[in-house]
Amino acid sequence: MDSSRCPRYRGRIIHIGCGDQRLDGFVNLDARQTSATDLVHSCDDLSFLPTHSFATIYSHAFFEHLFIFQREPCLRSAHRALKEDGTLVFLGLPDFRAIARAYLDGEPGVTLPRFDLREVYRYTHGQPEHAPDWWLEQLHKSLFDQETVTALLKAAGFNDFCIFNYCFRQEPLPLNLGFIAYKAKPQVYIDEDYVAAFVTDYTQDVNPESITALTVESDESMPMLCYASASAM
């Protein structure tokens, strides 16, 4: 990697899968050259990043574009690149359980009057035909639920994390998952208010009032410094 392109590269925060969204103060990384990118490199394997270099690795609507076999290696490489007290923040994962429930219950749609199969397709497949020049990259190649995300994070070496459900602003249904994973045990009380404040530091796309904590996982072999009420899950 040419770190001369990012003179404040080491010890900073990185935005992977940035697409056309540039975040100030981040190293913006994408597989395609766009107006937003600082670095062009595949984002599915972050082993090219220096070890223990980043305080935060952030992505929004990226992880679902990976093939199933790429997901755990991606998280493992992120774990390696994080500082010892680093944080991994992934947003925008379609929650298949919530999507299926919205379809079966005939909920109001997000872009259509009813949440029909066309709405399901938007979330499960990502409408790749809208990006004909990079159809495969745009395609959602993974499905997620709470249990899948939990298993992936544990397999990648994260023992402390919070998985939450939310909706985008201007959307009526909480059909998305996000997670905050900590390389070291956080000395904070984790609940919906904490997650809402944390996430809005990164994006204004999330409706903070919609956030519901699904899972708060902490390594029981260490003193409990991170806690959330089971009633919130």
Side-chain angles (χ1 to χ4, degrees):
M1 164 180 280
D2 181 7
S3 61
S4 65
R5 295 183 59 186
C6 301
R8 298 160 69 184
Y9 166 83
R10 185 172 293 277
R12 290 291 170 174
I13 51 181
I14 188 166
H15 176 201
I16 65 173
C18 67
D20 296 314
Q21 183 181 22
R22 180 175 182 80
L23 297 181
D24 292 338
F26 288 72
V27 176
N28 294 277
L29 172 70
D30 199 88
R32 297 182 297 116
Q33 179 69 60
T34 73
S35 60
T37 51
D38 298 306
L39 293 169
V40 179
H41 196 284
S42 174
C43 301
D44 62 277
D45 181 359
L46 304 178
S47 60
F48 69 98
L49 296 174
T51 303
H52 309 317
S53 297
F54 290 91
T56 301
I57 298 175
Y58 169 76
S59 79
H60 192 178
F62 154 73
F63 202 39
E64 66 274 17
H65 295 280
L66 299 186
F67 289 102
I68 288 177
F69 64 85
Q70 295 175 316
R71 300 181 304 184
E72 184 181 328
C74 177
L75 294 179
R76 285 186 178 275
S77 64
H79 188 279
R80 184 196 61 80
L82 286 172
K83 291 182 174 182
E84 290 303 324
D85 59 349
T87 306
L88 182 67
V89 184
F90 276 21
L91 302 177
L93 284 65
D95 180 354
F96 184 70
R97 188 183 302 277
I99 294 164
R101 186 182 300 119
Y103 169 72
L104 293 172
D105 291 348
E107 294 281 4
V110 176
T111 63
L112 297 167
R114 188 172 67 85
F115 200 89
D116 61 15
L117 286 177
R118 290 170 294 177
E119 293 273 39
V120 172
Y121 175 75
R122 289 180 60 243
Y123 284 89
T124 59
H125 291 71
Q127 292 185 302
E129 61 274 10
H130 289 185
D133 293 337
W134 61 94
W135 187 93
L136 182 60
E137 290 80 2
Q138 176 61 28
L139 177 69
H140 291 184
K141 295 177 279 294
S142 291
L143 296 174
F144 295 96
D145 57 18
Q146 171 190 353
E147 294 80 9
T148 299
V149 176
T150 297
L152 286 168
L153 287 171
K154 288 184 174 181
F158 291 98
N159 296 316
D160 299 274
F161 52 85
C162 174
I163 303 169
F164 50 93
N165 183 260
Y166 71 93
C167 64
F168 289 110
R169 292 185 186 272
Q170 312 303 322
E171 292 192 358
L173 300 173
L175 302 175
N176 304 281
L177 290 170
F179 65 79
I180 307 167
Y182 306 88
K183 194 166 181 178
K185 183 176 291 294
Q187 300 187 41
V188 294
Y189 177 96
I190 296 179
D191 60 7
E192 285 91 343
D193 290 338
Y194 167 84
V195 173
F198 189 101
V199 169
T200 52
D201 282 343
Y202 290 87
T203 179
Q204 297 301 309
D205 291 340
V206 173
N207 177 359
E209 296 180 358
S210 71
I211 290 175
T212 302
L214 298 178
T215 299
V216 177
E217 192 82 22
S218 185
D219 185 354
E220 298 295 341
S221 67
M222 300 178 65
M224 179 61 77
L225 301 174
C226 167
Y227 174 80
S229 169
S231 65
M233 300 178 198

